[in-house]
Amino acid sequence: MMVEEIKLIDYRNYKQLQLQFHPKLNIFVGENAQGKTNILEALYLCAIGKSFRTSKDQELVKILKDHAYIKTTISKTTDKTEIEILINKESSKRIKINKLSLTKYGDLLGNLNVVLFSPEDLKIIKEGPSERRRFINNDISQILPRYYHTLTQYNKILQQRNKVLKNYKGKTLDLEVWDEQLIERGAWLIVYRKKFIKRIAILAKLMHKKITEGLELLEVQYDSNIKIKEEDELKDIKEKFKQALKEIKPLEEKRGLTLVGPHRDDLIFKINGLEVKTYGSQGQQRTTVLSLKLAELELMRGEVGEYPILLLDDVMSELDKKRQNYLIKNLKNVQTFITTTMMEPLNIKSQEEYKLFSVCNGEINRLSLK
Ligand SMILES: Nc1ncnc2c1ncn2[C@@H]1O[C@H](COP(=O)(O)OP(=O)(O)O)[C@@H](O)[C@H]1O
Ligand SMILES: [Mg+2]
């Protein structure tokens, strides 16, 4: 799939903007703080419904203005979709698809698929489990909007169950109703995650092997606190989840918190048997993220039937020549948006193969290289 066009009004530092994109490669060059990432953010917003930089929609509205408007035209092999987002400073945002208003944000998912790669993604390796869960959740939600709905329900039930636990003051607690619902949704989440991680692991291993010319074996493992096995099915997982809740109940009553379940899931990355987070070099950590991102692209294509769009925010200069070349070589059929402060490190040849834009203080001009 590809984005043909974007239109912005009073979004971030853009007053008015309309751009037609190249079907393959779009490069945004400019100094810092000119509005490069803002463009990628607008595209991401049309795919996911929220920014990757802020959870406060008001920040997206141009200073001193009341609302921001974003429109993208998406084309796929079989159809065209128009996504419009109107962000109001005072009320919640409105989303339209082909002129029809959405009643649930979740219904936006699947219209435009995106993979974002930014320096922040190193957090997936280096930081706590919530970063890795966010990675898993974002990806599966895009492929399977039903997952997003289940996740939303699970989180609501979890909150309510936590509230009950928190108010526990030595009374006998009846958590059965909550447990049942938590297990029902939670077990589904685990089933989806298990399947997703298994596939991403195979793809990432393959990518990593190629990038490192066979020297490194990357493993991605699902670390669930409910001790599930490879062959476990939904009913087994439900049973184990139930058992785990039963065993931990005294501790939960003491702590006033739900202590087992998919909200505590994690991922483990290993290279040649050693955990990347602890033992990996900076270079290995970066390559792991690159392998993971390329795996995401392939996985989405497999599931959706078309490649998602790829947003590369300031990552080119962080990769060495070899990895840059590998990345560019792998992107032949993926519409890609690159932001960079210098053109130099980009090893791109023919001018027909891309559009180059210069970004300066909320204005964008098309450039051609001599
Ligand atoms: N709501 C807003 N209204 C006006 N300007 C904004 C708003 N949000 C961010 N900006 C401006 O956008 C610029 C940052 O844009 P960004 O795309 O992150 O830059 P970069 O080119 O470095 O990627 C800054 O100059 C910032 O002041
Ligand atoms: Mg930026």
Side-chain angles (χ1 to χ4, degrees), residues 12-13 32-38 53 59 61-63:
R12 291 281 195 191
N13 64 340
N32 279 322
Q34 300 304 309
K36 301 184 298 296
T37 304
N38 291 345
R53 292 197 290 190
E59 286 175 22
V61 180
K62 196 167 195 296
I63 305 258

Side-chain angles (χ1 to χ4, degrees), residues 327-369:
L327 182 57
I328 297 280
K329 215 174 68 208
N330 262 275
L331 298 180
K332 284 198 193 85
N333 299 310
V334 183
Q335 191 189 27
T336 306
F337 299 82
I338 295 180
T339 70
T340 177
T341 44
M342 308 164 285
M343 261 312 274
E344 209 215 319
L346 297 179
N347 196 358
I348 297 154
K349 285 151 219 100
S350 154
Q351 259 202 60
E352 286 76 62
E353 289 172 16
Y354 63 92
K355 268 190 182 177
L356 179 63
F357 301 99
S358 90
V359 186
C360 185
N361 196 16
E363 302 218 351
I364 298 191
N365 287 296
R366 176 127 187 238
L367 282 181
S368 57
L369 284 185

